[in-house]
Amino acid sequence: MTGRGDLCVAVERVSKKFSRSLKRSFVYGAWDIARALLRSGESATLRASEFWAVQDVSFTLRRGQSIGVIGPNGSGKTTLMRMIAGVLRPTLGAIRVQGRIAPMLALGAGFKPVLSGRENVFLNLSLLGVSDRDIRARFDAIVEFAELAEAIDAPLGTYSSGMLARLGFACAVHTDPQILIVDEVLSVGDAKFRTKCRNRINQLRKAGTAMLLVSHSAILIQALCDECLYLKRGLIAARGTPDETLGAYESDIVQNLAVGNAARVAGCSGEASEAGHSKARILEVRFTAREASGAGIWLTGKPGEMILSVGCTSPVNDISLNVIITDLTHHAGETVQFMTSHRDIGWVRLDPGRPELRVSFPAVGLRPGTYRVKISLSQGLMHDILDVLDDARVIVRDAGSGGNGLYYQPREWTITGGTVTEMPTVPATSELEAVEEL
Amino acid sequence: MKRGMEGVAKTIALSWRLFAAAVGARYRNAFLGYFWMVCPAVLITGGVSLASQSGVINPGNTRLPYPLFVFLGVIVWQVFAEAVKVPHVAFDGARAYLTKVHFAHEALILAQLYESLIGVFVRFTAVLLLVAWYGESSWRGIGLLALCLAGSNLLGLGLGAMLMPFTMLFADLQNAVKLILGYGLFLTPAFYVPESAGLLSSLVQSAPVAPLMNSARDAAAGAALSQPDALAAVLALSLLMTMAGMAFVRLSAPIVIERLLLGGR
């Protein structure tokens, strides 16, 4: 039962405009001040170089509710959070907030390096709106939480970045918030401290604290949110349950990726032919999975294929297809796979026309994430490069078999002296990863 | 009404906290804090007095011993100039967290004002010492001197608050303000009594700080106020400007903060 009293945040048709030109934005600032003096309100039309960072967004957040906000960079997520936190004022529309907000966008606001940890706790919490009496009452708990009992009287400048983050986080969660705003993944301190942060957030949520979670991580949003908004260029592109919204978000990403791959293929074949290596050209590359909804996706643990179409004018011998897969999500830039067809199956002879090279994986071993695939066609042992596609992208999604490990281990389970009864209904993603990321 | 009062109490509590932090931070960096507040006035007074003795400057009929005359003028100007800077310094120093958390921005200015009041107090003490040195102090004089310095402080604060949103937006304006505060002293009756009827003379006499300087000197000389109406007008103006300035800061702060966020100056 949710009544009016449960309302924590009401965002009503909120829009915010920014200027792309810094100089203009200062001049507009002076005009806006003049307009404010005349009480004529901000203009709803865009002036030169202005754009809508957030446009006509409405939603409500109630006590105990948790809403995820997802979207590509520059889609207005952080601007929206800043407006809710009261740092920015909407150009149009209104935001009503009931209760204290702990904005995790602002860990350690106001910290001064020459002051001691103790003085900084008082300063930070005062800025977050906690009274002196309450700070004194919570002080010991904060220090204990931050694990800084020994260093609390040392100047903040002597703290390590981990200690600073711990103190900032400890202050933020001890403000007795009714609303938490968590922007991006909170990777504070070591694994032990992260567990503590997660538990503390869970504890607050169980006590009815509402949460807004901004993240790129589908896993985190699925595990922690009841509702999800997908922001695209400042507009709400989709909203609903995390599953529905994330589906819309991912299909958008995949579509963009497919367009990007096609463009890259077009770009690279032109270049290679100009360079005179036109014996074999890459015409098209496709990544498919039998069970996935669209092209450009592989599913961890499920069969997947990469199909390469090549254009040949005459027969070419001693061809090898070389594939390097690089991780862009976990350890950006790390090579995770290197395959060459001549080592696996021997030299290939391509007939004139449009031959197709297909590499199939019975079970994709990559963990969920985005990968860069570098594909080259080479000839002979000296690896004369006939064509290269440098920057194709493939998304690997979790299919429920667990994406928490470094790679997927194909496996079979056998039970003797018992039987498998039924499959529980769990979200496709595991909570372990969500927890780890938090 | 009750919520309004709570808000004010919270703002004041926060301003004290910010003030304590700023003072704590400052005096861990500098040992001669108070000295630097009075030093410029002493140097200027010394220099100008020497110039006057050797006949380079003709101060006119000052009634007071010339060093005291100059010192009072310079101190009144310094208090004014420092107060003009208060709102800008307050906002500029809080850039890092103005864009992160929402709080009552008046607290920033109040905290900076307390800091500037320390300066006023130190300068006031120096003035009293010098007045006592020349042996011309009375309770009425002390009260009047305090009133003049307070007026000068409020006048500067009000002006600074009105300028702050624009000086935060435009570096050029801030540089111009700094220049005027640095050399504006020469457009006031800080060093001499303008007696001719020329343009410069009327400009100098119409400077808003002029009645404050003149009244402070009357107080030190134990004489009757020469410009009671002008003093009353300037004091009323300073109160009015401070209140209007604070309201203006409140109105324009979100617009300024938004620009800070854009990665501007």
Side-chain angles (χ1 to χ4, degrees):
Chain A
M1 184 68 194
T2 52
R4 262 191 84 79
D6 284 334
L7 201 67
C8 288
V9 178
V11 176
E12 289 156 6
R13 309 208 56 180
V14 160
S15 300
K16 180 79 201 169
K17 60 181 177 179
F18 282 133
S19 168
R20 282 202 174 83
S21 149
L22 204 59
K23 271 193 179 159
R24 278 221 172 98
S25 92
F26 292 137
V27 176
Y28 291 156
W31 278 113
D32 288 348
I33 291 172
R35 288 182 74 103
L37 268 180
L38 300 171
R39 303 207 173 274
S40 61
E42 282 195 63
S43 99
T45 52
L46 294 181
R47 295 166 283 194
S49 91
E50 281 187 329
F51 67 100
W52 291 108
V54 169
Q55 205 174 354
D56 204 15
V57 169
S58 302
F59 69 91
T60 53
L61 177 71
R62 293 179 181 282
R63 202 174 121 79
Q65 203 187 5
S66 166
I67 297 183
V69 181
I70 204 160
N73 290 333
S75 58
K77 305 186 294 283
T78 305
T79 302
L80 183 59
M81 293 307 125
R82 281 181 172 142
M83 286 193 283
I84 294 169
V87 174
L88 291 179
R89 202 171 50 181
T91 308
L92 300 172
I95 296 177
R96 284 181 292 133
V97 175
Q98 266 178 25
R100 196 201 307 277
I101 294 183
M104 303 282 172
L105 349 126
L107 293 182
F111 274 0
K112 280 185 194 285
V114 291
L115 297 183
S116 69
R118 181 185 300 272
E119 289 165 302
N120 273 299
V121 168
F122 276 86
L123 184 59
N124 178 257
L125 285 181
S126 300
L127 279 173
L128 292 173
V130 184
S131 72
D132 270 18
R133 203 181 54 188
D134 289 345
I135 302 175
R136 270 191 289 276
R138 291 173 204 165
F139 185 80
D140 291 337
I142 293 170
V143 175
E144 195 195 317
F145 189 90
E147 300 166 18
L148 288 170
E150 284 169 21
I152 198 66
D153 286 311
L156 211 66
T158 62
Y159 284 27
S160 71
S161 57
M163 288 159 87
L164 275 179
R166 262 158 39 205
L167 191 62
F169 187 89
C171 287
V173 293
H174 282 85
T175 52
D176 185 24
Q178 281 83 53
I179 304 147
L180 276 173
I181 298 184
V182 183
D183 196 352
E184 285 311 330
V185 177
L186 274 175
S187 46
V188 176
D190 55 12
K192 192 170 134 253
F193 190 72
R194 283 208 296 274
T195 312
K196 209 160 146 182
C197 294
R198 182 241 311 164
N199 287 343
R200 176 71 192 188
I201 287 183
N202 286 350
Q203 195 187 336
L204 286 170
R205 294 216 42 221
K206 277 178 205 146
T209 304
M211 180 166 82
L212 282 168
L213 172 68
V214 177
S215 179
H216 285 292
S217 163
I219 297 158
L220 208 59
I221 285 185
Q222 259 171 340
L224 297 177
C225 299
D226 342 298
E227 199 184 323
C228 183
L229 304 177
Y230 166 23
L231 278 187
K232 188 173 156 187
R233 285 183 226 113
L235 290 156
I236 293 187
R239 72 194 307 166
T241 64
D243 278 341
E244 293 164 4
T245 317
L246 291 168
Y249 176 58
E250 280 184 9
S251 71
D252 261 13
I253 291 187
V254 168
Q255 205 181 343
N256 288 344
L257 225 62
V259 173
N261 281 346
R264 283 181 204 107
V265 170
C268 87
S269 355
E271 233 171 76
S273 49
E274 270 168 34
H277 303 293
S278 53
K279 283 188 244 174
R281 294 193 297 131
I282 297 172
L283 297 178
E284 192 190 358
V285 62
R286 277 173 293 150
F287 302 93
T288 58
R290 206 175 303 149
E291 293 171 39
S293 48
I297 295 181
W298 286 339
L299 299 173
T300 298
K302 302 287 178 189
E305 279 187 330
M306 188 189 86
I307 305 160
L308 190 74
S309 297
V310 181
C312 293
T313 45
S314 54
V316 273
N317 285 309
D318 298 345
I319 292 294
S320 177
L321 170 62
N322 315 298
V323 181
I324 299 174
I325 301 177
T326 312
D327 192 341
L328 295 180
T329 306
H330 311 94
H331 296 283
E334 188 177 52
T335 299
V336 288
Q337 274 295 326
F338 177 54
M339 304 170 234
T340 57
S341 63
H342 76 280
R343 282 177 194 269
D344 285 0
I345 54 169
W347 297 116
V348 175
R349 196 179 88 98
L350 293 176
D351 299 330
R354 194 182 161 111
E356 204 174 74
L357 293 95
R358 184 184 292 242
V359 53
S360 307
F361 312 117
V364 171
L366 303 171
R367 57 177 157 165
T370 307
Y371 294 85
R372 185 172 71 212
V373 186
K374 180 176 176 177
I375 303 159
S376 67
L377 279 176
S378 66
Q379 191 175 32
L381 276 176
M382 298 291 281
H383 285 285
D384 296 337
I385 303 293
L386 302 186
D387 202 355
V388 184
L389 175 57
D390 206 14
D391 202 15
R393 300 287 165 97
V394 63
I395 292 182
V396 178
R397 284 174 60 184
D398 190 13
S401 43
N404 303 315
L406 213 50
Y407 62 94
Y408 173 77
Q409 171 63 54
R411 61 230 177 194
E412 276 176 24
W413 301 87
T414 313
I415 316 293
T416 44
T419 49
V420 177
T421 53
E422 60 173 328
M423 187 67 114
T425 46
V426 287
T429 49
S430 109
E431 283 177 14
L432 180 65
E433 181 153 341
V435 159
E436 279 300 312
E437 281 202 44
L438 198 69
Chain B
M1 185 70 188
K2 197 179 162 222
R3 280 184 78 163
M5 292 304 284
E6 273 173 24
V8 170
K10 267 190 149 175
T11 304
I12 291 173
L14 176 58
S15 67
W16 272 112
R17 181 61 63 197
L18 289 166
F19 168 64
V23 170
R26 168 157 319 177
Y27 294 101
R28 259 159 250 199
N29 285 337
F31 297 101
L32 299 174
Y34 300 127
F35 170 74
W36 297 118
M37 290 176 179
V38 190
C39 174
V42 172
L43 285 179
I44 294 177
T45 304
V48 178
S49 302
L50 284 175
S52 159
Q53 268 175 17
S54 58
V56 179
I57 299 180
N58 176 21
N61 178 17
T62 59
R63 278 187 301 168
L64 283 178
Y66 190 58
L68 183 58
F69 177 88
V70 173
F71 193 75
L72 281 171
V74 174
I75 288 286
V76 167
W77 176 261
Q78 263 197 333
V79 166
F80 168 77
E82 294 270 301
V84 172
K85 292 180 200 155
V86 160
H88 183 92
V89 171
F91 264 62
D92 204 41
R95 256 167 207 277
Y97 54 94
L98 271 173
T99 52
K100 284 180 173 176
V101 280
H102 177 67
F103 57 95
H105 303 124
E106 294 86 348
L108 278 179
I109 296 185
L110 278 179
Q112 196 65 37
L113 177 67
Y114 305 151
E115 257 198 278
S116 83
L117 285 179
I118 296 185
V120 173
F121 183 74
V122 170
R123 292 185 176 108
F124 181 55
T125 312
V127 165
L128 290 187
L129 285 176
L130 202 66
V131 170
W133 172 268
Y134 285 101
E136 294 174 72
S137 55
S138 68
W139 284 112
R140 172 189 165 275
I142 292 171
L144 207 51
L145 277 171
L147 188 68
C148 290
L149 290 188
S152 179
N153 191 44
L154 283 184
L155 188 68
L157 185 72
L159 183 65
M162 290 190 168
L163 287 174
M164 183 278 286
F166 302 107
T167 53
M168 287 295 285
L169 289 178
F170 304 106
D172 294 332
L173 185 63
Q174 172 60 7
N175 290 335
V177 169
K178 273 192 206 159
L179 193 75
I180 293 170
L181 292 181
Y183 293 98
L185 183 59
F186 299 104
L187 292 176
T188 66
F191 303 128
Y192 57 97
V193 183
E195 274 159 1
S196 63
L199 178 69
L200 184 71
S201 167
S202 52
L203 192 72
V204 164
Q205 279 301 13
S206 63
V209 287
L212 295 167
M213 287 180 180
N214 294 336
S215 304
R217 286 162 183 159
D218 294 338
L225 287 176
S226 53
Q227 303 174 293
D229 296 344
L231 178 66
V234 168
L235 288 177
L237 177 74
S238 61
L239 265 180
L240 205 69
M241 276 184 59
T242 304
M243 286 191 286
M246 284 302 213
F248 186 55
V249 165
R250 200 187 171 92
L251 181 93
S252 54
I255 297 169
V256 172
I257 290 167
E258 185 180 319
R259 268 71 191 182
L260 299 185
L261 201 63
L262 291 180
R265 302 192 303 106

